[in-house]
Amino acid sequence: MSIQDSLDDSVDLENRSPQSTRLFTKIAILASTVDLLLFFVCVVTYQIDEILGLNVFGSVFLPMVILIIIALYLAIAERLRAKYLGARIAIIISCLVFILVITFVIIEYIKYGKIYIAPFNPPPVWSR
């Protein structure tokens, strides 16, 4: 079976799936995409101003973790049920965001010696 046939079968299976499956895969894709956008906003802000970027990342870290958990929970459940293409896409995006967030935290720890998470360890104050 070629890759094209596998993708066609996956799309056809997803078109015949129940409404709840379509809802869960759409929510998983939406949550992982919003999570990816939040991460890119953090990185762009960090490139413009480091202190402001740390403040933004520290404040959206917990919502990003919650969105990763929601997306993976819904996508893995649907992926285990059948070979849905939407669930595969959501898992790939969620895993990519998870790797990016962990990498950012490691780089932050190496550079500053601390990990800034908003309610637990506030980021440095923005002074200008």
Side-chain angles (χ1 to χ4, degrees), residues 4 29 41 43 51-53 77 84 91 94 99-100 107 109:
Q4 182 66 29
I29 289 173
V41 166
V43 170
I51 302 298
L52 185 61
Y84 298 123
I91 290 172
S94 296
I99 291 168
L100 291 172
I107 291 172
Y109 183 74

Side-chain angles (χ1 to χ4, degrees), residues 37-112:
L37 290 174
L38 281 174
F39 180 77
F40 282 137
V41 166
C42 292
V43 170
V44 168
T45 309
Y46 184 79
Q47 293 299 319
I48 293 170
D49 186 11
E50 289 183 4
I51 302 298
L52 185 61
L54 288 175
N55 283 320
V56 170
F57 184 77
S59 62
V60 299
F61 178 76
L62 291 178
M64 286 173 62
V65 169
I66 291 169
L67 284 174
I68 288 173
I69 291 170
I70 289 171
L72 282 175
Y73 177 76
L74 293 174
I76 288 175
E78 295 306 319
R79 176 63 184 102
L80 290 176
R81 189 174 301 167
K83 296 180 180 179
Y84 298 123
L85 184 63
R88 289 180 184 177
I89 292 170
I91 290 172
I92 290 169
I93 294 173
S94 296
C95 289
L96 175 70
V97 172
F98 178 74
I99 291 168
L100 291 172
V101 166
I102 294 298
T103 304
F104 192 87
V105 167
I106 290 171
I107 291 172
E108 182 180 3
Y109 183 74
I110 290 171
K111 187 170 182 180
Y112 300 105

